[in-house]
Amino acid sequence: MTSHIPPALGELRQLGLITAIEFDEAMAELEILALDEEDDIDMPRLAAGAGLADTLAWLLRTDLLPQDGFLRRVQDLSRQHGGADLLERQRLAADALNLLNRQAIDTLYDEDLINQWQRDAAHASLPADRLLASPIAALREMLRQGTVTAQQFEVLRTRQHGSELGRIIVDAAARQARQEGPIYARPGTWVMAALLLLLMAFAGRAIVSRPAPSAAAVPVAEQGVERPDLQQRAAHAVESARLPGAGADLSITVVQDAATPPVR
């Protein structure tokens, strides 16, 4: 492994934004790139004297620092740091993401897929909490935001001129758009809806054709049931309220659930 450690890479390790394993892998990659004097390796190079944000962006671009793991690490920073230390690390992470997202947008502009106004509008609305890992993701993001309209995208998809890289980007974005379409446009959705309606129709027919229950089948709780305990309590209450000297010619029947009392 090369003995020269880029200062920014070592500081990122000290800040806890990369792990020891990621640091070692980055150093190994830098050593390989240093031996490749003719640029035969298809790997972005880290500029000499690159700052913290540029070095972090290089790690993310080369996938030496996986995006998902990095974003989770940034979200957990508040558990380990606070105050100025936390703000420094969050700002550094945001700057690195911004650099990469701007580069993805600039690639779309360089390939003549968007105009200058669309590029500037996309720069102004870049997501600060996630990485547009490729120009394909950047184009999909612009479609979601409306910076590139569906009509403009269709023109890109059907045009006959343009670079090979531009064609690859548009075709991949169109394929992802079909795969991530709204739920009502996905294959099988209408079949499931039709089956559900058919099941509901059969269930409704079964309910309508079911014979009405006979009086004998009505649960006991739904019929008039005399409660001896309630009868005694009601008789006592009436006896207490009766005027002195009046005859106790009362017949009390307590019926539960407002059922029709039996005929005496």
Side-chain angles (χ1 to χ4, degrees):
M1 181 176 295
T2 180
S3 58
H4 174 67
I5 300 177
L9 191 62
E11 189 170 348
L12 289 175
R13 176 69 189 101
Q14 292 178 354
L15 290 172
L17 291 175
I18 62 175
T19 65
I21 295 177
E22 292 163 350
F23 174 83
D24 291 341
E25 290 178 347
M27 290 297 298
E29 189 63 41
L30 289 173
E31 185 175 4
I32 294 174
L33 291 173
L35 296 174
D36 179 35
E37 298 180 356
E38 299 181 359
D39 291 343
D40 292 330
I41 301 177
D42 187 16
M43 171 73 79
R45 293 178 177 268
L46 180 62
L52 291 174
D54 291 297
T55 302
L56 190 56
W58 175 76
L59 290 169
L60 288 166
R61 186 185 308 116
T62 57
D63 206 32
L64 291 168
L65 177 56
Q67 174 188 350
D68 293 341
F70 173 69
L71 293 179
R72 286 195 299 268
R73 194 173 304 161
V74 172
Q75 292 173 352
D76 291 339
L77 285 175
S78 58
R79 302 179 182 177
Q80 307 171 12
H81 307 280
D85 291 341
L86 176 61
L87 291 177
E88 177 189 9
R89 288 164 173 79
Q90 289 177 333
R91 187 180 300 111
L92 180 56
D95 289 344
L97 290 176
N98 186 270
L99 280 172
L100 287 176
N101 290 343
R102 289 178 68 92
Q103 290 174 0
I105 297 295
D106 290 343
T107 300
L108 298 179
Y109 178 74
D110 294 340
E111 298 302 322
D112 195 28
L113 298 177
I114 59 175
N115 57 37
Q116 183 176 354
W117 179 88
Q118 290 171 318
R119 182 196 63 183
D120 295 342
H123 283 171
S125 59
L126 287 172
D129 58 345
R130 54 192 173 88
L131 174 63
L132 302 178
S134 67
I136 300 169
L139 184 55
R140 293 283 291 127
E141 179 69 18
M142 294 182 69
L143 278 167
R144 281 190 289 268
Q145 293 182 354
T147 312
V148 173
T149 66
Q151 292 78 9
Q152 291 170 334
F153 181 73
E154 184 63 19
V155 171
L156 293 175
R157 196 182 65 80
T158 57
R159 74 178 185 177
Q160 300 300 319
H161 63 281
S163 66
E164 182 64 24
L165 177 58
R167 169 60 52 195
I168 293 173
I169 293 172
V170 172
D171 289 346
R175 184 166 57 253
Q176 291 182 8
R178 289 193 298 268
Q179 295 173 351
E180 301 172 4
I183 188 169
Y184 56 78
R186 295 174 188 171
T189 300
W190 291 109
V191 176
M192 293 299 296
L195 289 174
L196 180 60
L197 290 175
L198 186 61
L199 289 174
M200 292 175 63
F202 277 116
R205 182 178 301 176
I207 292 174
V208 171
S209 60
R210 183 181 301 171
S214 61
V218 177
V220 175
E222 297 180 7
Q223 300 179 19
V225 180
E226 295 189 2
R227 295 277 304 276
D229 56 333
L230 293 181
Q231 284 183 329
Q232 294 175 4
R233 292 166 60 185
H236 182 271
V238 173
E239 182 64 25
S240 299
R242 186 170 56 83
L243 293 176
D249 187 13
L250 295 174
S251 176
I252 300 172
T253 301
V254 179
V255 181
Q256 189 178 8
D257 295 334
T260 304
V263 179
R264 295 189 181 272

